[in-house]
Structure formats: structure tokens, C-alpha cells
Amino acid sequence: IATLQRTDENISLYSQMLDEFEMGMKSSRIDELFAQVQEALVPLISKVKSSTNPPDLSPLFPPKTNKTDEEEKNETEEESFPVESQKHLSKTLVTTLGYDTTHGRIDTAVHPFTTSFSPYDVRITSRFNTKEWFQGLMGTIHEGGHAMYEQSLGDSDTSLDTALSMGVHESQSLFWERHIGKGRPFWKFAGSVVRDVFRESGAEGF
């Protein structure tokens, strides 16, 4: 199909297919952007991984116990972070950020995603791990970013009221997940919500 759509043989097939998702973007420009990211990110990651003062990740997991490996393996889900509690937490926080559940819903799936039928029906899913609560929440906030973008579009049938591109779409989800959801101001509020939800569920360490 891309070959038939191509009007200039000098345009690579990848660029032709890319145009469906990011209009006007060429594969050569993508290569330039990723080269810049690689140049900055690789040494930064190496520096972080070799740090002698790594971040404390223990609040994300159940507290350490004196149980044997076999005993921990046989623990029930209720002894860690119950899925229903995580769903309640995710819904509470993502709706506080602006996702409108009167024009959408949140469900569980094997992989987080967003489906928009119109600005009045935008649905998201997330997945949850009973041994670690943070990724499920961040997945919900990420999909909430996609959904809030779709809910904010107009309801006409013109291209003005459609998502601009996949890149813009992803910028919205990553803005909410990385810049808001991982920011100190957000956690000054969200920290108490997390503690309240998991204390109510009986999770240890909260």
C-alpha cells in the first residue's frame, strides 16, 4: 500500500508510512532526533546506574519480612496490594487530574490503552501488579493523558477536531505521566491518598 501511495521514488517506504502517523516527518529527521537523545541519554543513564546513592524504591513494594522464599511465594494477593485498591487509587487520582468518567470509563486489561469513540466516550485501561503499585498508577495517568486530550477535542466532523498526530498524542500522555505524575508538587497531594487507600486495604507498611 505504501508503495502505491508513494508519489516520489526518492521517498523511503518508511517515510511514506510514517506520514500516516506524523504528517510531514521524514525518517532522516527521526534519525537526527534519536541521535540527539542517544548522545545525551546514554551517559546520563550510565551515571545514574553507577551512583553510590541510588533512590530508595522500598515504598513501592511490600515490606521485607523474615518469611522464607516459599512462604512469600504462597502469599495471597490480599497480603500485598489488592487490585481493587489499586483501581480505586488510580481512578481517584486520574479523575482529580481531569479525566471525566461521565464520558468514559476505566477498566483492567493485559496492557494499558486508550480508545476514543468521540469526545463524549473515551475509555482507558490499565494493568496492576499485586506486588508493586506504582507502575499501575503511572500507566493509568499515562492513558489518562491520552484520554484528556481526546475529551478536549471538539465534536465536529472536521479535521480541526481530530488529534493532530501520534507524536502530539504521546506528548500529552507523557506530560501527565512524567512531568505531573512524577513531580514533587503532585506527590505532596497524592502521597496521603496512596497511604489512605492502602491502609484501608490492610497493606503492610502504610
Side-chain angles (χ1 to χ4, degrees), residues 113-126:
F113 68 92
T114 302
T115 300
S116 176
F117 298 97
S118 78
Y120 304 108
D121 187 1
V122 186
R123 310 178 188 190
I124 66 177
T125 70
S126 194

Side-chain angles (χ1 to χ4, degrees), residues 101-147:
T101 53
T102 64
H103 294 109
R105 55 183 290 164
I106 306 173
D107 291 287
T108 305
V110 295
H111 190 79
F113 68 92
T114 302
T115 300
S116 176
F117 298 97
S118 78
Y120 304 108
D121 187 1
V122 186
R123 310 178 188 190
I124 66 177
T125 70
S126 194
R127 63 182 175 188
F128 304 99
N129 179 352
T130 60
K131 299 299 182 183
E132 189 273 333
W133 58 268
F134 187 70
Q135 294 304 315
L137 174 59
M138 287 299 104
T140 306
I141 293 176
H142 180 98
E143 298 306 323
H146 283 300

